Amino acid sequence: MYLRAGIDSLPRMSLDSISLARSAVPGFAIAIAVLIAGLLLALTVGRYPVSLGDLLSVLYAKAAGHRADVAPAVESVIWQVRGPRVLAAMLVGAALAVAGTAFQGLFRNPLVSPDILGASSGAALGAVVGIYLSLSVFAIQAVAFLGGLVAVGVVYVIGASVRSRDPILVLVLTGVVVGSLFGAGVGLVKYLADPYNQLPAMTFWLLGSLSATGVSDLLPLFGPVAAGAAVLVALRWRMNVMSLPEEEARALGVATGPLRIAIVAAATLVTSASVATAGIIGWVGLVVPHLARSLVGPDFARLLPAAAILGGGYLLLIDTLARTMAQVEIPLGILTAVIGTPFFIWLLASVQKNWS
């Protein structure tokens, strides 16, 4: 009888799944529209404007394998100047959004962002040390990436050594403390730096920017982001279970300890790679996951790709605004803070009512 009841419920479950998938279609359409709008604006708007017709002509010529009927300067602007920056903005925005989505679900806290475990502070310390030692750009990125991983490793070792009934709370508090410690290290290096050459470079980098991004920066960014995102997508169903209280997740047979380590490591990987390339760009990992959740719902099978698409489009729009709204380029961290602060205030007032 129980077997028959289970079989009889299968069509209904399938219909429910189809209904849920259909309900997410408008949300994905909005996210994709934001990404396409961001791409078009990023490639056409700037100090050297490119018409939409020229852009489409260059793209079609590239796909067809022949030369576009446009000025050589147009092709240079699209492929050599704006192209790498656009790809980097998409990758960084998607990475920060996916990491924020994973952390918010893992810690069951809608106010969590990717730097909660000190990854951003650790990567920042590594980068300023690299600038202080006058290392190459690739070496600075490598040291920043290593600093992010070291920071999260320290947080996890300390958190694991402290016995508590609430390991997640201990982990978050440890992340805040270690992040503050690494922030103090950043301040010390800036104090020791050359005030005429090194200090301006450190300050500008810490505010977040994609102005110096080139083709050579894409591979060190794409590899870690793709690897970390692939792990999170592979764990999407288990991440739904991890959103439940600890006891309920264990009762469902989920090994919460190893799974938490895997999620944290993957989210830290994409965060550190993003910070190593673009500096500290705050608020993306806090704002975008909530926007994606409002579009497609809380299921991580839909939430993760929606957040990645929306995050890429969001940072493309912010980066285009940063390089066009004034005579000098405005750091990305300033613009994301201006937009994120009122959103955070609204979130504090409404999170207990509508976050689920």
Side-chain angles (χ1 to χ4, degrees):
M1 181 176 64
Y2 294 106
L3 178 60
R4 182 176 180 81
I7 294 175
D8 290 340
S9 67
L10 286 178
R12 181 178 302 175
M13 293 172 63
S14 300
L15 290 175
D16 291 342
S17 299
I18 294 174
S19 176
L20 287 173
R22 287 178 178 174
S23 66
V25 170
F28 275 107
I30 294 174
I32 293 172
V34 171
L35 179 60
I36 293 175
L39 279 170
L40 293 178
L41 287 174
L43 290 172
T44 57
V45 176
R47 299 192 183 278
Y48 189 96
V50 176
S51 68
L52 183 59
D54 287 346
L55 173 63
L56 295 178
S57 177
V58 170
L59 295 178
Y60 175 77
K62 189 70 172 181
H66 59 76
R67 182 177 177 81
D69 188 18
V70 297
V74 174
E75 287 193 272
S76 298
V77 167
I78 293 175
W79 295 121
Q80 300 177 18
V81 179
R82 293 179 188 167
R85 181 166 181 163
V86 165
L87 291 176
M90 290 174 57
L91 287 172
V92 171
L96 294 176
V98 166
T101 301
F103 279 130
Q104 288 176 8
L106 179 64
F107 295 126
R108 301 186 295 277
N109 190 332
L111 305 179
V112 167
S113 58
D115 56 357
I116 189 65
L117 297 183
S120 295
S121 299
L125 178 58
V128 297
V129 168
I131 295 173
Y132 180 75
L133 297 176
S134 300
L135 302 180
S136 65
V137 175
F138 181 79
I140 291 174
Q141 291 182 347
V143 175
F145 177 70
L146 181 62
L149 294 181
V150 169
V152 175
V154 171
V155 169
Y156 228 95
V157 168
I158 296 176
S161 63
V162 177
R163 295 183 178 181
S164 173
R165 294 182 179 179
D166 194 345
I168 293 178
L169 177 62
V170 171
L171 205 62
V172 171
L173 293 177
T174 306
V176 172
V177 172
V178 172
S180 299
L181 179 61
F182 277 77
V186 170
L188 177 61
V189 176
K190 290 173 66 177
Y191 179 78
L192 298 174
D194 179 7
Y196 299 103
N197 297 316
Q198 295 176 331
L199 185 58
M202 292 178 185
T203 303
F204 186 73
W205 183 89
L206 290 172
L207 291 175
S209 176
L210 292 168
S211 61
T213 303
V215 177
S216 60
D217 300 316
L218 295 179
L219 185 59
L221 173 63
F222 176 78
V225 169
V231 171
L232 294 176
V233 171
L235 298 175
R236 60 192 182 278
W237 304 112
R238 292 180 176 84
M239 291 173 67
N240 287 330
V241 180
M242 290 297 290
S243 299
L244 299 173
E246 186 84 8
E247 295 78 9
E248 295 183 21
R250 290 180 179 176
L252 292 174
V254 175
T256 57
L259 183 58
R260 185 181 297 114
I261 292 176
I263 295 173
V264 168
T268 301
L269 185 66
V270 298
T271 301
S272 298
S274 301
V275 173
T277 300
I280 298 179
I281 303 176
W283 299 99
V284 177
L286 176 65
V287 173
V288 174
H290 290 280
L291 298 178
R293 188 182 297 270
S294 66
L295 292 177
V296 300
D299 183 7
F300 281 94
R302 303 190 304 266
L303 184 58
L304 285 173
I309 296 171
L310 197 61
Y314 174 79
L315 196 58
L316 278 173
L317 295 174
I318 294 294
D319 186 53
T320 303
L321 186 65
R323 61 183 175 82
T324 57
M325 68 179 299
Q327 292 296 322
V328 295
E329 182 169 325
I330 300 176
L332 295 176
I334 294 177
L335 286 180
T336 55
V338 169
I339 296 174
T341 300
F343 181 87
F344 187 80
I345 295 173
W346 169 82
L347 190 62
L348 284 175
S350 62
V351 67
Q352 296 297 332
K353 301 177 183 178
N354 59 15
W355 196 83
S356 61

